[in-house]
């Protein structure tokens, strides 16, 4: 949740019965921002890899590293697509199953894990010799996304 709340938000947290709704709304907003931050980091990583790729093409047009870079960029684009279309923390308004604040907290923890992995991918994207490590991190990110999707169902259906 944001550290500074507006006076209206503070008041809403004090009103009996409304507190849960406001807490959920703040978690939903954070969830969206975290997913967008992850996407931005992955898009920057794509740009870094594309720049590296163009440098390699100029000096070694038949380098086997080019295919690895291109495959990695493709994987990142796929994950960005998944992140863009993934269910957000606010989806419980229309969802078939009720999502409680505790579940939203778990979703939020998953999102923080996503940002951490995206940070690592971004850091490594400037080093073409780290492609295999980037691919491992992409697999970890995909696992986090799959686990996150399960959180939108009740425990008995997971």
């Amino acid at each position: 949740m944001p550290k500074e709340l507006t006076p209206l938000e503070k008041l809403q947290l004090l009103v009996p019965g409304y507190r849960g709704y406001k807490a959920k709304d703040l978690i939903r907003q954070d969830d969206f921002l975290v997913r967008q931050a992850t996407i931005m980091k992955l898009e920057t990583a794509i740009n870094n890899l594309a720049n590296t790729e163009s440098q390699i093409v100029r000096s070694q047009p038949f380098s086997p590293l080019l295919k690895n870079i291109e495959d990695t960029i493709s994987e990142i684009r796929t994950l960005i697509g998944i992140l863009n279309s993934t269910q957000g923390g606010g989806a419980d308004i229309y969802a078939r199953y009720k999502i409680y604040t505790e579940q939203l907290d778990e979703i939020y923890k998953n999102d923080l894990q996503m940002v951490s992995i995206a940070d690592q991918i971004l850091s490594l994207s400037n080093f073409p010799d780290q492609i295999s490590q980037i691919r491992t991190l992409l697999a970890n990110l995909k696992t986090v996304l799959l686990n996150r999707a399960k959180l939108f169902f009740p425990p008995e259906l997971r």
Side-chain angles (χ1 to χ4, degrees), residues 77-88:
R77 284 187 181 127
T78 299
L79 287 174
I80 288 172
I82 292 169
L83 278 165
N84 271 323
S85 63
T86 194
Q87 188 169 356

Side-chain angles (χ1 to χ4, degrees), residues 12-27:
Q12 290 169 339
L13 287 174
L14 296 174
V15 174
Y18 192 83
R19 178 178 170 73
Y21 293 110
K22 186 60 187 172
K24 284 183 182 182
D25 183 52
L26 293 172
I27 292 170

Side-chain angles (χ1 to χ4, degrees), residues 2-56:
K3 291 183 182 179
E4 292 185 32
L5 299 175
T6 67
L8 177 62
E9 290 172 330
K10 289 177 185 176
L11 179 62
Q12 290 169 339
L13 287 174
L14 296 174
V15 174
Y18 192 83
R19 178 178 170 73
Y21 293 110
K22 186 60 187 172
K24 284 183 182 182
D25 183 52
L26 293 172
I27 292 170
R28 288 182 198 118
Q29 290 174 29
D30 289 347
D31 172 63
F32 174 77
L33 292 172
V34 170
R35 286 186 295 123
Q36 291 306 307
T38 303
I39 289 169
M40 286 176 25
K41 290 172 189 300
L42 292 175
E43 287 173 344
T44 304
I46 286 175
N47 290 337
N48 292 346
L49 289 169
N51 289 338
T52 300
E53 186 179 35
S54 67
Q55 291 171 359
I56 293 171

Side-chain angles (χ1 to χ4, degrees), residues 38-58 65-66 68-70 72-74 76-77 80 117-131 134:
T38 303
I39 289 169
M40 286 176 25
K41 290 172 189 300
L42 292 175
E43 287 173 344
T44 304
I46 286 175
N47 290 337
N48 292 346
L49 289 169
N51 289 338
T52 300
E53 186 179 35
S54 67
Q55 291 171 359
I56 293 171
V57 165
R58 284 187 216 117
L65 185 56
L66 292 172
N68 285 336
I69 292 173
E70 198 57 43
T72 302
I73 288 173
S74 179
I76 294 172
R77 284 187 181 127
I80 288 172
I117 293 170
D119 268 337
Q120 294 172 53
I121 291 169
L122 179 57
S123 296
L124 294 173
S125 67
N126 289 310
F127 305 102
D129 57 332
Q130 299 295 319
I131 290 292
I134 291 172

Side-chain angles (χ1 to χ4, degrees), residues 105-157:
D105 287 338
E106 284 300 312
I107 292 166
Y108 185 65
K109 288 175 188 174
N110 259 315
D111 288 351
L112 290 175
Q113 207 175 1
M114 287 189 313
V115 170
S116 173
I117 293 170
D119 268 337
Q120 294 172 53
I121 291 169
L122 179 57
S123 296
L124 294 173
S125 67
N126 289 310
F127 305 102
D129 57 332
Q130 299 295 319
I131 290 292
S132 64
Q133 195 170 356
I134 291 172
R135 305 280 295 261
T136 301
L137 288 168
L138 290 171
N140 293 346
L141 182 56
K142 193 173 198 172
T143 300
V144 169
L145 286 171
L146 291 173
N147 290 336
R148 182 185 188 281
K150 292 176 187 174
L151 293 172
F152 289 97
F153 293 95
E156 60 273 9
L157 295 177

